[in-house]
Amino acid sequence: MNFDLSDEQQMLQDSAQRFVQKDYTFEHRRKLAAHGGGFSRDMWRAFGEMGWLGVAVPEAFGGLGFTPVESALIAEQFGRGLVLEPYVMCGVFPAALVTRCASGKQRDELLAEIISGETLIAVAHSEREARGVVSHVSMTAKQAQDGAWRLDGHKTLVVGATMADRLIVVARVAGGVRDAAGLGLFVVDPHAAGVTLEPYRLLDGTPAADLVLASVTVEAKAVIGTPGEALKGLLAAVDEAIVASCAELVGDIDDTVELTAEYLKTRKQFGVPIGSFQALQHRIADMAIDAMQARATLHRALKALSDDNGTRSVEVSGCKAQTIRSGKFVTQQGIQLHGGYGITDEYKVGHHYRRTLIVDALFGNMEYHLNRYARQIQADARALAA
């Protein structure tokens, strides 16, 4: 894999970096979290105008025609800036899902809405008992004689649901709760009869909600793709979203290392900078090593997305397990090296720590992905020994 950025990739990364440094300062972020509900429509439209919401969508479908690598470059800068607007969950994820599962006019119209930034689409996929298993879906969709569908069930952790203009809901049209077959995707109006949102703010200030559907009617034209055959596209979209969120976390990690190193240079004790103490130099070196490990597994996962040779999801799990482990270690060390003050609202390192905990909760936590990766390693070892 070539780790050097092309001219286009460098320009894309630079534009996201400039945006964060100029228009998304830490003070702006704190004000948005405290008084703006954690989301700005103007910012979201700006993402659309820059082309960031369709960066990995093929040109034939109205996107920029890049790959998940370019989405990761943007997400990393957003992680550094602690951007509250859900770029991954309401940008990368729904775009990947629609690209893989929809077709024709419906695909083009939905992607145009996502890419422009004028319409916010949130994906309701997670359920309380799923614990990271994508095929675990208990929400039901039953077709009536008139061709419409009736949706019933409960979804959790729907990021961006409170501001969403549309919801893409994963529901089961056939089979048992964890069967691979039988999943469908439905476009739901969040203001329709029978739709209830239970809003809350996540630990990092991101707005989210639980979703309750009670006999919600969805017209046949609002079904994405073929009912019952959504799992393959859903798995691919989830993997792409996980890798983008890991890239965001790599940005959090790198920024934490830089903030902490700078603090050690300026904070004095006994008349000298505390960065001159050998014990603290060792700790900042350990943080830098973990940052490199997180980036290395991100590169491996991005390669797996491009190769898609049957081990994609396992490699993605390895990436998430490592980046979360590194993220927790680095941000916790950063807080401690700030003398404990880092956990307060005034210090950016504490916000990076809280964001790490939220990324851990999305799409299955570190333990789930670590176990999944370990099972594959064990299976490969048994195959070699046979």
Side-chain angles (χ1 to χ4, degrees):
M1 183 175 180
N2 183 8
F3 296 105
D4 295 326
L5 299 182
S6 68
D7 291 341
E8 288 181 319
Q9 289 172 333
Q10 189 64 60
M11 290 174 62
L12 191 65
Q13 184 185 62
D14 290 345
S15 67
Q17 185 180 58
R18 286 194 300 271
F19 173 82
V20 169
Q21 292 174 345
K22 180 181 177 181
D23 299 321
Y24 218 98
T25 63
F26 183 50
E27 285 306 312
H28 166 83
R29 196 250 188 212
R30 289 182 63 198
K31 290 178 182 177
L32 184 63
H35 308 294
F39 180 84
S40 166
R41 279 280 179 179
D42 290 338
M43 284 293 179
W44 196 255
R45 293 189 187 96
F47 295 172
E49 291 170 1
M50 297 292 285
W52 294 336
L53 299 177
V55 68
V57 175
E59 286 187 89
F61 302 160
L64 294 185
F66 288 118
T67 70
V69 173
E70 286 73 23
S71 295
L73 292 174
I74 296 170
E76 181 182 341
Q77 297 305 315
F78 282 9
R80 281 178 167 270
L82 289 165
V83 172
L84 282 166
E85 286 77 11
Y87 171 69
V88 174
M89 300 304 293
C90 295
V92 175
F93 190 20
L97 197 56
V98 172
T99 298
R100 287 168 172 78
C101 296
S103 61
K105 181 180 178 182
Q106 181 192 53
R107 177 195 60 212
D108 295 342
E109 289 179 350
L110 284 173
L111 285 176
E113 291 179 354
I114 295 169
I115 292 169
S116 69
E118 293 297 326
T119 301
L120 187 78
I121 297 181
V123 182
H125 70 99
S126 176
E127 297 188 1
R128 198 175 305 279
E129 301 301 323
R131 300 291 191 270
V133 179
V134 177
S135 62
H136 182 113
V137 176
S138 62
M139 177 171 282
T140 60
K142 298 180 180 179
Q143 192 168 26
Q145 291 183 349
D146 61 0
W149 294 80
R150 305 289 185 271
L151 272 61
D152 291 273
H154 188 185
K155 295 290 184 180
T156 61
L157 201 58
V158 187
V159 177
T162 52
M163 302 86 60
D165 303 295
R166 298 172 188 268
L167 302 171
I168 296 178
V169 178
V170 183
R172 182 165 293 283
V173 302
V177 172
R178 290 205 173 189
D179 286 355
L183 297 186
L185 301 175
F186 302 84
V187 179
V188 174
D189 180 353
H191 305 292
V195 177
T196 302
L197 289 175
E198 301 172 352
Y200 46 84
R201 297 284 289 278
L202 300 179
L203 185 62
D204 69 335
T206 302
D210 287 355
L211 172 68
V212 180
L213 302 185
S215 297
V216 175
T217 300
V218 178
E219 299 297 327
K221 64 181 181 181
V223 179
I224 297 177
T226 303
E229 299 180 6
L231 182 61
K232 183 178 179 181
L234 178 60
L235 285 171
V238 165
D239 284 345
E240 189 170 328
I242 290 175
V243 174
S245 65
C246 288
E248 183 181 333
L249 189 50
V250 167
D252 286 278
I253 292 169
D254 282 351
D255 194 52
T256 300
V257 174
E258 292 175 13
L259 289 169
T260 306
E262 185 62 29
Y263 181 80
L264 295 182
K265 294 176 184 177
T266 56
R267 177 72 167 88
K268 290 186 177 182
Q269 194 172 26
F270 308 117
V272 296
I274 61 175
S276 64
F277 302 153
Q278 191 175 54
L280 301 190
Q281 292 174 4
H282 290 169
R283 291 176 71 176
I284 197 73
D286 289 340
M287 292 168 64
I289 290 170
D290 258 271
M292 288 188 286
Q293 289 177 331
R295 186 173 294 279
T297 57
L298 173 61
H299 290 164
R300 185 178 178 121
L302 286 168
K303 186 176 187 301
L305 287 182
S306 63
D307 292 347
D308 199 5
N309 59 6
T311 63
R312 180 196 70 215
S313 292
V314 174
E315 295 291 352
V316 169
S317 283
C319 175
K320 176 156 186 180
Q322 179 61 55
T323 52
I324 293 296
R325 194 203 71 81
S326 295
K328 288 181 177 180
F329 172 78
V330 169
T331 55
Q332 287 168 355
Q333 289 294 310
I335 289 170
Q336 289 185 15
L337 290 175
H338 275 76
Y341 294 112
I343 198 62
T344 63
D345 188 66
E346 291 79 9
Y347 284 83
K348 199 176 179 184
V349 290
H351 292 269
H352 283 308
Y353 171 68
R354 290 190 281 274
R355 182 58 189 165
T356 300
L357 298 182
I358 297 304
V359 174
D360 186 25
L362 301 173
F363 304 111
N365 63 15
M366 180 180 71
E367 286 74 19
Y368 167 78
H369 287 282
L370 187 60
N371 289 332
R372 187 188 195 188
Y373 191 65
R375 286 194 298 269
Q376 183 62 45
I377 292 175
Q378 292 169 346
D380 292 344
R382 287 193 295 268
L384 288 173

